[in-house]
Coordinates of all heavy atoms in Angstrom, one line a residue:
Q1 N -14.2 44.8 26.1 CA -13.9 44.1 24.9 C -13.3 45.1 23.8 O -12.3 44.8 23.2 CB -15.1 43.5 24.3 CG -14.9 42.7 23.0 CD -16.1 42.0 22.5 OE1 -17.2 42.3 23.0 NE2 -16.0 41.1 21.6
N2 N -13.9 46.3 23.7 CA -13.4 47.3 22.7 C -12.0 47.8 23.0 O -11.2 48.0 22.1 CB -14.4 48.5 22.7 CG -15.7 48.1 22.1 OD1 -15.9 47.1 21.5 ND2 -16.7 49.0 22.3
L3 N -11.7 47.9 24.3 CA -10.4 48.4 24.7 C -9.3 47.3 24.7 O -8.1 47.6 24.6 CB -10.5 49.0 26.1 CG -11.3 50.3 26.2 CD1 -11.4 50.8 27.6 CD2 -10.6 51.4 25.3
G4 N -9.7 46.1 24.8 CA -8.7 45.0 24.8 C -7.9 45.0 26.1 O -6.7 44.8 26.0
A5 N -8.5 45.3 27.2 CA -7.8 45.3 28.5 C -8.8 44.8 29.6 O -10.0 45.1 29.5 CB -7.4 46.7 28.8
Q6 N -8.3 44.1 30.6 CA -9.1 43.6 31.7 C -9.4 44.8 32.6 O -8.5 45.3 33.3 CB -8.4 42.5 32.4 CG -9.4 41.8 33.4 CD -8.7 40.6 34.1 OE1 -7.6 40.2 33.7 NE2 -9.4 40.1 35.1
L7 N -10.7 45.1 32.7 CA -11.1 46.2 33.6 C -11.8 45.7 34.9 O -11.9 46.4 35.9 CB -12.1 47.1 32.9 CG -11.6 47.8 31.6 CD1 -12.8 48.5 30.9 CD2 -10.5 48.7 31.9
Y8 N -12.2 44.4 34.9 CA -13.0 43.9 36.0 C -12.5 42.6 36.6 O -11.8 41.9 35.9 CB -14.5 43.8 35.6 CG -15.0 44.9 34.8 CD1 -15.2 44.8 33.4 CD2 -15.3 46.1 35.4 CE1 -15.6 45.9 32.7 CE2 -15.8 47.2 34.7 CZ -15.9 47.1 33.3 OH -16.4 48.2 32.6
R9 N -12.9 42.3 37.8 CA -12.5 41.1 38.5 C -13.6 40.7 39.5 O -14.4 41.5 39.9 CB -11.1 41.2 39.2 CG -11.2 42.3 40.4 CD -9.9 42.4 41.1 NE -10.0 43.4 42.1 CZ -10.5 43.2 43.4 NH1 -10.9 42.0 43.7 NH2 -10.5 44.2 44.3
H10 N -13.6 39.4 39.8 CA -14.5 38.9 40.8 C -14.0 39.1 42.2 O -12.8 38.9 42.5 CB -14.8 37.4 40.6 CG -15.6 37.1 39.3 ND1 -17.0 37.3 39.3 CD2 -15.2 36.8 38.1 CE1 -17.4 37.0 38.1 NE2 -16.4 36.7 37.3
A11 N -14.9 39.6 43.1 CA -14.5 39.9 44.5 C -15.6 39.4 45.4 O -16.7 38.9 44.9 CB -14.2 41.3 44.7
A12 N -15.4 39.4 46.7 CA -16.4 38.9 47.6 C -17.8 39.7 47.4 O -18.9 39.1 47.6 CB -15.9 39.1 49.0
A13 N -17.7 41.0 47.1 CA -18.9 41.8 47.0 C -19.5 41.6 45.6 O -20.6 42.2 45.3 CB -18.6 43.2 47.3
G14 N -18.9 40.9 44.7 CA -19.4 40.8 43.3 C -18.3 41.2 42.3 O -17.1 41.2 42.7
V15 N -18.7 41.5 41.2 CA -17.7 42.0 40.1 C -17.3 43.4 40.4 O -18.2 44.3 40.5 CB -18.3 41.8 38.7 CG1 -17.2 42.2 37.7 CG2 -18.7 40.3 38.5
T16 N -16.1 43.7 40.4 CA -15.6 45.1 40.6 C -14.4 45.4 39.7 O -14.1 44.5 38.8 CB -15.2 45.3 42.1 OG1 -14.9 46.7 42.3 CG2 -13.9 44.4 42.4
T17 N -13.8 46.5 39.8 CA -12.7 46.9 38.9 C -11.4 46.3 39.3 O -11.1 46.1 40.5 CB -12.6 48.4 38.8 OG1 -12.4 48.9 40.1 CG2 -13.8 49.1 38.1
T18 N -10.6 46.0 38.3 CA -9.2 45.7 38.6 C -8.5 46.9 39.0 O -9.0 48.0 38.9 CB -8.5 45.1 37.3 OG1 -8.6 46.1 36.3 CG2 -9.3 43.8 36.8
E19 N -7.2 46.8 39.4 CA -6.4 48.0 39.7 C -6.3 48.9 38.5 O -6.4 50.1 38.6 CB -5.0 47.6 40.2 CG -4.1 48.7 40.6 CD -2.8 48.3 41.2 OE1 -2.7 47.1 41.5 OE2 -1.9 49.1 41.3
A20 N -6.1 48.3 37.3 CA -6.0 49.1 36.1 C -7.3 49.7 35.7 O -7.4 50.9 35.3 CB -5.5 48.2 34.9
G21 N -8.4 48.9 35.9 CA -9.7 49.4 35.7 C -10.1 50.6 36.6 O -10.7 51.6 36.2
Q22 N -9.7 50.5 37.9 CA -10.0 51.6 38.8 C -9.2 52.9 38.4 O -9.8 54.0 38.4 CB -9.5 51.2 40.2 CG -9.8 52.2 41.3 CD -11.3 52.5 41.5 OE1 -12.1 51.6 41.1 NE2 -11.6 53.6 42.1
A23 N -8.0 52.7 38.0 CA -7.2 53.9 37.6 C -7.8 54.5 36.3 O -7.9 55.7 36.2 CB -5.7 53.5 37.3
F24 N -8.2 53.6 35.4 CA -8.9 54.1 34.2 C -10.2 54.8 34.5 O -10.5 55.9 33.9 CB -9.1 52.9 33.2 CG -9.5 53.3 31.9 CD1 -8.7 54.1 31.1 CD2 -10.7 52.9 31.3 CE1 -9.1 54.5 29.8 CE2 -11.1 53.2 30.1 CZ -10.3 54.0 29.3
A25 N -10.9 54.3 35.4 CA -12.2 55.0 35.8 C -11.9 56.4 36.4 O -12.7 57.3 36.1 CB -12.9 54.1 36.9
Q26 N -10.9 56.5 37.2 CA -10.6 57.8 37.7 C -10.2 58.8 36.6 O -10.5 60.0 36.6 CB -9.4 57.7 38.7 CG -9.8 57.0 40.0 CD -10.8 57.8 40.8 OE1 -10.8 59.0 40.9 NE2 -11.8 57.1 41.3
R27 N -9.5 58.3 35.6 CA -9.1 59.2 34.5 C -10.3 59.6 33.7 O -10.4 60.7 33.2 CB -8.0 58.5 33.6 CG -6.7 58.3 34.4 CD -5.6 57.8 33.5 NE -4.4 57.5 34.3 CZ -4.0 56.3 34.7 NH1 -4.7 55.3 34.4 NH2 -2.9 56.2 35.4
L28 N -11.2 58.6 33.5 CA -12.4 58.9 32.7 C -13.3 59.9 33.5 O -14.0 60.7 32.9 CB -13.2 57.7 32.4 CG -12.6 56.8 31.3 CD1 -13.6 55.7 30.9 CD2 -12.2 57.6 30.1
K29 N -13.3 59.8 34.8 CA -14.0 60.8 35.6 C -13.5 62.2 35.4 O -14.3 63.1 35.4 CB -13.9 60.4 37.1 CG -14.8 61.2 38.0 CD -14.8 60.7 39.5 CE -15.8 61.5 40.3 NZ -15.8 61.0 41.7
A30 N -12.2 62.3 35.3 CA -11.6 63.6 35.0 C -12.0 64.1 33.7 O -12.3 65.3 33.5 CB -10.1 63.5 35.1
V31 N -12.1 63.2 32.7 CA -12.5 63.5 31.3 C -13.9 64.0 31.4 O -14.3 65.0 30.8 CB -12.4 62.3 30.4 CG1 -13.1 62.6 29.1 CG2 -10.9 62.0 30.1
S32 N -14.8 63.3 32.1 CA -16.2 63.7 32.2 C -16.3 65.0 32.8 O -17.2 65.8 32.4 CB -16.9 62.6 33.1 OG -18.3 62.9 33.1
G33 N -15.5 65.3 33.8 CA -15.6 66.6 34.5 C -15.2 67.7 33.5 O -15.7 68.8 33.5
Q34 N -14.2 67.4 32.6 CA -13.8 68.4 31.7 C -14.8 68.7 30.6 O -15.0 69.8 30.1 CB -12.5 68.0 31.0 CG -11.3 68.1 32.0 CD -10.0 67.6 31.3 OE1 -10.0 67.1 30.2 NE2 -8.9 67.8 32.0
I35 N -15.6 67.6 30.3 CA -16.7 67.8 29.3 C -17.8 68.7 29.9 O -18.3 69.6 29.2 CB -17.2 66.4 28.9 CG1 -16.2 65.6 28.1 CG2 -18.5 66.6 28.0 CD1 -16.6 64.2 27.7
E36 N -18.1 68.5 31.2 CA -19.1 69.3 31.9 C -18.6 70.7 31.9 O -19.4 71.7 31.7 CB -19.3 68.8 33.3 CG -20.0 67.4 33.3 CD -20.2 66.9 34.7 OE1 -19.9 67.7 35.7 OE2 -20.8 65.8 34.9
A37 N -17.3 70.9 32.1 CA -16.7 72.3 32.2 C -16.8 72.9 30.8 O -17.0 74.2 30.7 CB -15.3 72.2 32.7
L38 N -16.6 72.2 29.7 CA -16.7 72.7 28.4 C -18.1 73.2 28.1 O -18.3 74.3 27.6 CB -16.4 71.6 27.4 CG -16.8 71.8 25.9 CD1 -16.1 73.0 25.3 CD2 -16.6 70.5 25.1
V39 N -19.1 72.4 28.5 CA -20.5 72.8 28.3 C -20.8 74.1 29.1 O -21.4 75.0 28.6 CB -21.5 71.7 28.8 CG1 -22.9 72.2 28.7 CG2 -21.3 70.5 27.9
E40 N -20.3 74.1 30.3 CA -20.6 75.3 31.2 C -19.9 76.5 30.6 O -20.4 77.6 30.6 CB -20.0 75.1 32.6 CG -20.3 76.2 33.6 CD -21.8 76.4 33.8 OE1 -22.6 75.4 33.7 OE2 -22.1 77.5 34.2
A41 N -18.7 76.4 30.0 CA -17.9 77.5 29.4 C -18.7 78.0 28.2 O -18.7 79.3 28.0 CB -16.5 77.0 29.1
V42 N -19.2 77.1 27.4 CA -20.0 77.6 26.2 C -21.2 78.3 26.7 O -21.6 79.3 26.1 CB -20.3 76.4 25.3 CG1 -21.2 76.8 24.2 CG2 -19.0 75.9 24.7
N43 N -21.9 77.7 27.7 CA -23.2 78.3 28.1 C -23.0 79.7 28.7 O -23.9 80.6 28.7 CB -23.8 77.4 29.2 CG -24.4 76.1 28.6 OD1 -24.6 76.1 27.4 ND2 -24.6 75.1 29.4
T44 N -21.8 80.0 29.3 CA -21.6 81.3 29.9 C -20.7 82.2 29.1 O -20.2 83.2 29.6 CB -20.9 81.1 31.3 OG1 -19.7 80.3 31.2 CG2 -21.9 80.3 32.2

């Protein structure tokens, strides 16, 4: 709702990501990894 974009759809296994939602999830995973790297860099 906050983003104003459809991230999920109904599938046989239940509610899952749309194609756009899946791509966005992958990009956020990269962001999350960079945040972890930031913390590690400061700690070391």
Side-chain angles (χ1 to χ4, degrees):
Q1 181 178 15
N2 291 346
L3 291 175
Q6 186 176 355
L7 301 176
Y8 314 105
R9 62 180 178 83
H10 289 278
V15 180
T16 187
T17 53
T18 60
E19 184 176 343
Q22 181 67 20
F24 189 60
Q26 289 297 317
R27 295 186 182 102
L28 286 190
K29 186 174 182 179
V31 169
S32 183
Q34 290 181 349
I35 294 175
E36 291 179 3
L38 164 63
V39 174
E40 185 64 24
V42 171
N43 289 341
T44 59

